[in-house]
Amino acid sequence: MNLHEYQGKDILASFGVGVQQGIVANNKAEAVTAAKKLTADTGTTWYVVKAQIHAGGRGKGGGVKLAKNLMELETIAEQIIGMQLITPQTPPEGKKVNKVLIAEDVYYSGDSGPEEFYVSVLLNRATGKNMIMYSVEGGMDIEKVAENTPELIFTEEIDPAHGLQSFQARNVAFNLGLRGVAFKGMVKFITALYKAYLGSDASLFEINPVLKTSDDKIIAVDAKVTLDENALFRHKEYAELRDLLEENPTEVEAREVGLNYVALDGNVGCMVNGAGLAMATMDLIKQSGGSPANFLDVGGTADATRVETAFRLILKDLKVEVILVNIFGGIVRCDRVAQGIVDAYKNMGDAIKVPIVVRLQGTNADIAKKLIDESGLNVLSATAFEEAARRVQESL
Ligand code: GDP
Ligand code: MN
């Protein structure tokens, strides 16, 4: 589950990680109230107005702007709230901004200017260990750094048996070229950040930039936080952080009825039982030159109601030109599933306008195939995986 920057910063702060102070606002009036409160709390008179959407690169798209007084703040807030923000990470049409974060300006310069670093915490799936990735080249172009000068990105791998060691936190501060107060500040920052990552059951923290202010404070200026959905049951307090407006509506609907659905870009709708078979099915579609429109695991009970719900979800995506049903009947008998498909199809009247290819394999597969073939519906049956894929291609 992805969070907004302001929510991510709240979690960081709750674990003692230093953050740029800010208050979220839904409209112009709230923005002004927020700014006045920030001035009272922090003394700042300059503010940054930051669009809250689930995508990075907001600065580049005009979604992060500096306001040097309340009048400017009002104008900028009005301009950003409601805008369709296009960044390198949004869909081409952009994302609508519903909220802004009014943050204190932390880029004031003193004897030494502010410095931007990159720090992230994530799971390295290859080694099965969490790692901290960091670079002096923080700011808005970390993707270019990774591509052109990967040697400027450092990592610390954390042994799960020992946790983050203090020498590792010091490594980070040292490799970022810090000394004195800033060095100590970074060690504290990294230690708290890792504690927050574990404590919130996150799967990604990306803090870009981490700022060394001109008076040597180390704070998170941005926060991209992804929480592990499988651990949400341990964090009832985080459930309300989900912003359904930011999510694919069909995925939201699928989750409500207990189906595992992920929207993709292709034109072949997939209905499969079991996550492994669903992935294998998507691979097969790709290999035979097609492109899956979704991942959908209908689970163990593929009865008529469930099949119908699944069909309706798949068909919400207007890109779908054919549906491939690939079910392995182990515990659930294939003839039951076939009957479910036929019943669902009939029940949906003329809602199904695309051909359906069904491959049922396992217990009573032969009876199932007969049921499909004799149904008189626009459903093609197949027994072999490859045959199913070929029929899908022929239907496109
Ligand atoms: P992103 O573009 O979505 O990654 O959004 P960020 O939160 O990282 O902000 C983008 C950029 O805005 C940062 O890299 C900074 O250069 C700038 N920025 C953020 N906070 C401040 C601030 O307090 N003062 C000034 N002057 N610039 C800021
Ligand atoms: Mn950023």
Side-chain angles (χ1 to χ4, degrees), residues 241-318:
L241 302 182
R242 189 184 286 282
D243 185 348
L244 295 179
L245 291 176
E246 292 284 338
E247 299 187 11
N248 177 302
T250 313
E251 290 182 12
V252 173
E253 206 183 320
R255 189 163 51 231
E256 275 162 10
V257 295
L259 286 171
N260 204 349
Y261 173 95
V262 181
L264 301 166
D265 296 331
N267 53 0
V268 182
C270 308
M271 172 157 56
V272 190
N273 66 339
L277 186 58
M279 284 194 276
T281 306
M282 288 162 50
D283 283 348
L284 189 84
I285 291 172
K286 274 267 179 204
Q287 265 173 26
S288 48
S291 177
N294 65 276
F295 167 100
L296 174 59
D297 170 11
V298 286
T301 49
D303 58 11
T305 329
R306 215 164 159 78
V307 170
E308 184 176 334
T309 312
F311 276 151
R312 288 193 192 277
L313 282 171
I314 293 173
L315 290 169
K316 287 202 174 189
D317 179 353
L318 300 177

Side-chain angles (χ1 to χ4, degrees), residues 50 56-58 139-140 206-209 221-223:
K50 310 183 78 178
R58 295 163 302 162
M140 296 206 272
E206 188 176 44
I207 316 297
N208 187 26
V221 167
D222 192 4

